[in-house]
Coordinates of all heavy atoms in Angstrom, one line a residue:
R62 N -8.5 25.2 -45.7 CA -7.4 25.9 -45.0 C -6.0 25.5 -45.4 O -5.2 26.3 -45.8 CB -7.6 25.8 -43.5 CG -6.6 26.6 -42.7 CD -7.0 26.6 -41.2 NE -8.3 27.2 -41.0 CZ -9.0 27.2 -39.9 NH1 -8.5 26.6 -38.9 NH2 -10.2 27.8 -39.8
S114 N -10.2 31.6 -44.2 CA -10.6 30.4 -43.5 C -10.6 30.5 -42.0 O -11.2 29.7 -41.3 CB -9.7 29.2 -43.9 OG -8.3 29.5 -43.5
F115 N -9.9 31.6 -41.4 CA -10.0 31.9 -40.0 C -11.1 32.8 -39.7 O -11.9 32.6 -38.9 CB -8.6 32.5 -39.6 CG -7.5 31.5 -39.3 CD1 -6.7 31.1 -40.3 CD2 -7.4 31.0 -38.1 CE1 -5.7 30.2 -40.1 CE2 -6.4 30.0 -37.8 CZ -5.5 29.6 -38.8
V284 N -8.0 23.1 -28.8 CA -7.7 23.1 -30.3 C -8.4 24.2 -31.0 O -8.3 24.4 -32.2 CB -8.3 21.8 -30.9 CG1 -7.6 20.5 -30.4 CG2 -9.8 21.6 -30.7
G285 N -9.0 25.1 -30.2 CA -9.7 26.2 -30.9 C -11.2 25.8 -31.1 O -11.6 24.7 -30.8
G286 N -11.9 26.7 -31.7 CA -13.3 26.4 -32.0 C -14.2 27.3 -31.3 O -13.9 27.8 -30.2
D287 N -15.3 27.7 -31.9 CA -16.3 28.6 -31.3 C -17.4 27.9 -30.6 O -18.2 28.6 -29.9 CB -16.8 29.5 -32.4 CG -15.9 30.7 -32.7 OD1 -14.8 30.7 -32.1 OD2 -16.2 31.5 -33.5
A288 N -17.6 26.6 -30.8 CA -18.7 25.9 -30.2 C -18.3 24.4 -30.2 O -17.4 24.0 -30.9 CB -20.0 26.1 -30.9
A289 N -19.0 23.7 -29.4 CA -18.8 22.2 -29.3 C -20.0 21.6 -28.7 O -20.8 22.2 -28.0 CB -17.6 21.9 -28.4
R332 N -11.8 14.8 -39.1 CA -12.4 16.0 -39.6 C -13.6 15.7 -40.5 O -13.5 14.8 -41.3 CB -11.4 17.0 -40.2 CG -10.4 17.5 -39.3 CD -9.5 18.5 -40.1 NE -10.2 19.7 -40.5 CZ -10.3 20.8 -39.9 NH1 -9.7 20.9 -38.7 NH2 -10.9 21.8 -40.4
T333 N -14.6 16.5 -40.4 CA -15.7 16.4 -41.4 C -16.1 17.9 -41.7 O -16.6 18.6 -40.9 CB -16.9 15.6 -41.0 OG1 -18.0 15.7 -41.9 CG2 -17.4 16.0 -39.6
G334 N -15.8 18.3 -42.9 CA -16.0 19.7 -43.2 C -15.1 20.6 -42.4 O -13.9 20.3 -42.3
S335 N -15.7 21.6 -41.7 CA -14.9 22.4 -40.9 C -14.9 22.0 -39.4 O -14.4 22.8 -38.6 CB -15.4 23.9 -41.0 OG -16.8 23.9 -40.6
N336 N -15.5 20.9 -39.1 CA -15.6 20.4 -37.8 C -14.7 19.3 -37.4 O -14.3 18.5 -38.3 CB -17.1 20.0 -37.5 CG -18.0 21.1 -37.7 OD1 -17.7 22.3 -37.6 ND2 -19.2 20.8 -38.2
L337 N -14.3 19.2 -36.1 CA -13.5 18.1 -35.7 C -14.3 17.2 -34.8 O -15.0 17.6 -33.9 CB -12.3 18.7 -34.8 CG -11.3 17.7 -34.3 CD1 -10.5 17.1 -35.4 CD2 -10.4 18.4 -33.3
V351 N -17.8 16.9 -30.6 CA -17.7 17.6 -31.9 C -17.3 19.0 -31.6 O -18.0 19.7 -30.9 CB -19.0 17.5 -32.7 CG1 -18.8 18.3 -34.1 CG2 -19.5 16.1 -32.9
I352 N -16.1 19.4 -32.1 CA -15.6 20.8 -32.0 C -16.0 21.5 -33.3 O -15.5 21.1 -34.4 CB -14.1 20.8 -31.8 CG1 -13.7 19.8 -30.7 CG2 -13.7 22.3 -31.4 CD1 -14.3 20.1 -29.4
V353 N -16.8 22.6 -33.2 CA -17.2 23.3 -34.4 C -16.2 24.4 -34.6 O -16.1 25.3 -33.8 CB -18.6 23.9 -34.1 CG1 -19.1 24.6 -35.4 CG2 -19.6 22.7 -33.8
S354 N -15.6 24.4 -35.8 CA -14.6 25.4 -36.1 C -15.3 26.8 -36.3 O -16.3 26.9 -37.0 CB -13.9 25.1 -37.4 OG -13.1 23.9 -37.3
G355 N -14.8 27.8 -35.6 CA -15.4 29.1 -35.7 C -14.5 30.0 -36.5 O -13.5 29.6 -37.1
G356 N -14.9 31.3 -36.5 CA -14.1 32.2 -37.3 C -12.7 32.3 -36.9 O -11.8 32.6 -37.8
M357 N -12.3 32.2 -35.6 CA -10.9 32.4 -35.2 C -10.3 31.1 -34.7 O -9.5 31.1 -33.8 CB -10.9 33.5 -34.2 CG -11.0 34.9 -34.8 SD -9.9 35.2 -36.2 CE -8.3 34.9 -35.4
S358 N -10.7 29.9 -35.1 CA -10.2 28.7 -34.6 C -8.8 28.4 -35.3 O -8.7 28.5 -36.5 CB -11.1 27.5 -35.0 OG -12.4 27.7 -34.6
P359 N -7.8 28.2 -34.5 CA -6.5 27.9 -35.0 C -6.5 26.6 -35.8 O -7.4 25.8 -35.6 CB -5.6 27.8 -33.8 CG -6.3 28.5 -32.7 CD -7.8 28.3 -33.0
F361 N -5.9 22.9 -36.6 CA -5.8 21.7 -35.7 C -4.5 21.0 -36.0 O -4.4 20.2 -37.0 CB -7.0 20.8 -35.9 CG -8.3 21.4 -35.6 CD1 -9.3 21.5 -36.6 CD2 -8.6 21.9 -34.4 CE1 -10.5 22.1 -36.3 CE2 -9.8 22.5 -34.1 CZ -10.7 22.6 -35.1

Side-chain angles (χ1 to χ4, degrees):
R62 183 171 297 172
S114 64
F115 279 90
V284 297
D287 278 3
R332 293 182 64 95
T333 174
S335 60
N336 301 327
L337 182 69
V351 182
I352 314 298
V353 181
S354 296
M357 286 308 303
S358 304
F361 300 120

